[in-house]
Amino acid sequence: MKKLLALVLTMIMVLSMASFAVAEGTTTVTWWVFPTFGQPDGAAPGTYERTIADAFEAKFPNIKVEIETIDFQNGPDKLISAIEGGTAPDVLFDAPGRIIEYGKNGKLVSLDDLFTDEFKADVASEDLLGACSDGTTYWMYPISSSPFFMSLNKDKFESSGAIEFVNLEGDRTWSTEDFLKALDKLNEAGELGGSVYCGGQGGDQGTRAFVANLYGARIANEAKDSYTIGSDEGVKALGLIKELVDAGKLEAGTDIVAGDEIKLYVQGILPYSICWGTSAAANNPTDFEKISVPFPSDDSVPELEYLVNGFCVFNNNDDARANAAKELIKFICDDEEFGPKNVLATGAFPVRTSFGNLYEGNPEYELLSAFTKYYGPYYNTMDGFANMRFEWWNMLQSILVGTKDIPTAVADYTTNSNAAFAK
Amino acid sequence: MSTNIFAREHKIQAQQTRVSYYFLLPALLFFVVFVALPMGMGVYTSFFKYTMSEFKFIGIDNYLNLFKDEIFVRSVKNTLIIVVGSVPIVTIFSLWLATIIYNMNSFSRSFFRAVYYLPVVTGSVAVVVVWKWIFDRYYGILNFVLQGLGIINKNVAWLGQVDTAIWCILTILLTTSVGQPIVLYVASLGNIDRSLTEAAEVDGATSFQVFWRIKWPTIMPTTLYVVVITTINSFQCFALIQLLTNGGPAFSTSTVMFYLYHNAFKLFEYGYANAMGVVLAILIGVFSALQFKVMGNKIDY
């Protein structure tokens, strides 16, 4: 028995040493992915990412990539637990909101060395570069970007007569006045209005863009050192929304979040969505024809919110892993074959102008491409952004259920958000 | 001679005690590593400004700030409403149902025990999805039924209104909380000495007297357990809130656990969140101690 035990232990030792010998010289990086890439033929999450990783491993045989898929519901909490527990991934594919927060808190590796002059010159706009930095350090390496906009149910707008007030020409910009007339038509036809969803944080960029555009308010000032929806324009817009909700022309979405709003729109219950984007369009096919439009604004010149997809590298106190992680993200974003292919898989526009027009002959994307000139200031990297988001949907709830009057709700929001900024 | 026997007995006893501790050691190790140590760290870090990038001693500032924080105070009130609302109802309702189920034949008894226990073993996400559909404003069955009965004339956003959201949470909490008490009460009722109840009935005791004088005191240990566990679970109500209302609308369903989670995982205020955890633990401790004090005296083991 003792001999058998000794034999087993010896074998375990030999095998361990052998595997160590194989592993020696190989760096393993872990890559956590939110479901941002589209999957081929409805395959399981992570399938497309695996093909990228396989191609990368073929090119860099000394680097092994392990992929873990996370979802938008539980992923952020899982990330925080991993970061604080010392088990953060090496690479994360996400957006600036969270990434810049991690960077500011010293959890990431600086990506300044990836932002070469060639890359900076190739990126479509200064704002896109600004979205990747906290002002001093680049924390996110961007791959693609796309605007958030509204999507209208063409059938409902046509049958109610509301289509008369929708601009279907050019960039399809429209005024607040026309939007209100369209709401009247929908209401007269017995249709519901759109929902001002505020049951939680998810997709809150939609309600922020909707509120801010109505009368030309700004969520943050030019200097990006103050949250400013408490302006006259902002208060006026919130007052209008409350009036429309009370009149039954808009839905008080205190019990739904963006995902629910999109679902209700796709099901044909709501006549339009204010949380639409290329990703929503790709993942939510509809039985009706859709019309993409920018948000209505008083001067018909909207300021749109936009998504920037990019990668960050966590600081796991291992230079070899950090360098391998950087190689991986350069491959994903810049590889001649996989770079453009990966941009297409995000359903968004490349940040690199050298990739050219990837959606040649696609009229919808040509329209969306025109929307990019209406990109507003990118404030998602401001200090206290996470706190401001919490204050935002709670402010909307207070106004819509009437627990606070508008000036009080806005004052509380502004005070708390700016206090978080100053912390 | 007697001294020798005494010494030997003492030695054997000490040896047995030592062996018992060895057996306890693995469980104790787990308890220390996964319960006692995190609890201790939670209390310790509650005295620090502890965020993603900061760890600075600030004394009792987190605790002082808690009581200036309107949302926290609101969350404590909501938590107390949930506890005070759910504990008596869960206890009375489950005892009533258990009494009915206990008097059924064995097949029906097993069937109903399984039915009421089902929500306990079903994942909270699945339970919440079903309830969310029931309460849905646009296609929920509750609105459909109530409109059919002529009780309401337009769809109601049950989870989106201040005066209804907390009651929806309470309702769901009740359905997920009664399963275990029912099973325990059915078992406990089975342990009552039949000769006592039969003797009382022969002596002319009414059903109420039999219940109040004989059954109730006998099942008191079970009642104490049910009350304490339901209280603790109600204080820790979190998943329902997170999945259904996010504490809204206007903080009307925010609980201490939910607000704690929000501060820790959304705002990265770990020290502040830990201070909330300590306050919650104290509240649970006080409530449980009171329950033991009030009900424990009536228990005759």
Side-chain angles (χ1 to χ4, degrees), chain A residues 83-84 95-111 130-140 223-225 227 312-315 378-387 420-423, chain B residues 51-54 268:
Chain A
I83 291 167
E84 295 304 333
R98 268 186 289 269
I99 288 179
I100 303 301
E101 185 86 38
Y102 300 151
K104 283 175 184 171
N105 283 291
K107 304 295 178 187
L108 302 180
V109 171
S110 164
L111 300 181
C132 303
S133 145
D134 62 0
T136 53
T137 307
Y138 287 108
W139 300 115
M140 188 180 94
K224 294 182 190 169
D225 59 8
Y227 292 104
C312 66
V313 175
F314 279 93
N315 183 2
Y378 198 81
Y379 56 84
N380 297 24
T381 54
M382 277 173 67
D383 284 342
F385 177 68
N387 216 317
F421 175 86
K423 257 186 193 175
Chain B
T51 64
M52 254 195 191
S53 53
E54 218 179 340
F268 319 124

Side-chain angles (χ1 to χ4, degrees), chain A residues 77 105 251-252 254-255 390 397, chain B residues 53 137-138 160 250 261-262 268:
Chain A
D77 294 354
N105 283 291
E251 293 285 287
T254 49
D255 52 344
F390 174 70
Q397 283 193 342
Chain B
S53 53
R137 182 199 320 198
Y138 299 100
Y261 157 82
H262 173 77
F268 319 124

Side-chain angles (χ1 to χ4, degrees), chain B residues 12-77:
Chain B
I12 291 168
Q13 203 174 9
Q15 200 176 7
Q16 282 177 343
T17 308
R18 205 164 47 239
V19 171
S20 308
Y21 277 115
Y22 288 148
F23 276 110
L24 281 175
L25 204 59
L28 191 69
L29 203 68
F30 269 90
F31 177 79
V32 169
V33 173
F34 294 110
V35 180
L37 206 62
M39 272 175 69
M41 282 168 68
V43 175
Y44 174 70
T45 54
S46 71
F47 296 105
F48 286 78
K49 168 87 183 148
Y50 177 23
T51 64
M52 254 195 191
S53 53
E54 218 179 340
F55 193 73
K56 190 174 80 183
F57 182 74
I58 53 168
I60 58 166
D61 279 6
N62 280 332
Y63 291 92
L64 296 177
N65 290 337
L66 274 183
F67 296 99
K68 290 181 210 154
D69 183 342
E70 282 175 28
I71 305 173
F72 176 73
V73 174
R74 182 76 196 265
S75 302
V76 171
K77 282 181 190 165

Side-chain angles (χ1 to χ4, degrees), chain A residues 36-50:
Chain A
T36 308
F37 281 125
Q39 301 300 331
D41 303 322
T47 307
Y48 179 73
E49 289 83 344
R50 192 63 252 169

Side-chain angles (χ1 to χ4, degrees), chain A residues 146-199:
Chain A
S146 64
F148 290 110
F149 49 93
M150 285 175 72
S151 180
L152 316 179
N153 181 326
K154 193 179 177 191
D155 296 348
K156 285 186 186 290
F157 271 71
E158 279 181 347
S159 62
S160 64
I163 196 80
E164 180 189 341
F165 302 103
V166 179
N167 173 21
L168 298 173
E169 304 298 321
D171 298 345
R172 296 186 182 169
T173 56
W174 56 331
S175 67
T176 302
E177 198 183 335
D178 282 340
F179 170 70
L180 294 175
K181 286 176 186 166
L183 279 187
D184 286 340
K185 286 284 184 186
L186 287 167
N187 189 249
E188 283 163 18
E191 295 287 353
L192 295 173
S195 177
V196 186
Y197 56 87
C198 50

Side-chain angles (χ1 to χ4, degrees), chain A residues 295-307:
Chain A
F295 287 88
S297 54
D298 56 342
D299 57 358
S300 298
V301 183
E303 278 198 347
L304 299 182
E305 302 254 344
Y306 56 100
L307 169 76

Side-chain angles (χ1 to χ4, degrees), chain B residues 167-297:
Chain B
W167 299 109
C168 295
I169 296 291
L170 263 171
T171 306
I172 303 169
L173 192 62
L174 290 181
T175 61
T176 53
S177 302
V178 294
Q180 199 182 29
I182 287 173
V183 170
L184 290 171
Y185 272 132
V186 170
S188 182
L189 288 167
N191 289 334
I192 295 171
D193 189 346
R194 275 191 162 238
S195 63
L196 290 175
T197 54
E198 281 167 5
E201 279 162 5
V202 168
D203 288 343
T206 62
S207 301
F208 178 75
Q209 284 171 324
V210 170
F211 174 79
W212 189 244
R213 301 277 180 185
I214 298 170
K215 290 182 180 174
W216 178 247
T218 315
I219 60 172
M220 189 52 103
T222 307
T223 304
L224 176 62
Y225 177 79
V226 166
V227 166
V228 171
I229 290 299
T230 311
T231 303
I232 292 171
N233 288 342
S234 304
F235 264 115
Q236 294 179 344
C237 181
F238 168 70
L240 292 182
I241 310 285
Q242 191 208 12
L243 295 167
L244 274 181
T245 63
N246 274 312
F251 307 112
S252 61
T253 59
S254 178
T255 59
V256 177
M257 271 302 283
F258 178 77
Y259 195 48
L260 183 160
Y261 157 82
H262 173 77
N263 272 276
F265 284 88
K266 303 293 178 199
L267 306 181
F268 319 124
E269 294 281 354
Y270 308 129
Y272 192 53
N274 282 341
M276 285 180 208
V278 171
V279 171
L280 183 66
I282 291 170
L283 272 174
I284 293 174
V286 168
F287 264 71
S288 302
L290 280 174
Q291 286 162 346
F292 270 101
K293 181 82 184 157
V294 172
M295 298 173 73
N297 290 339

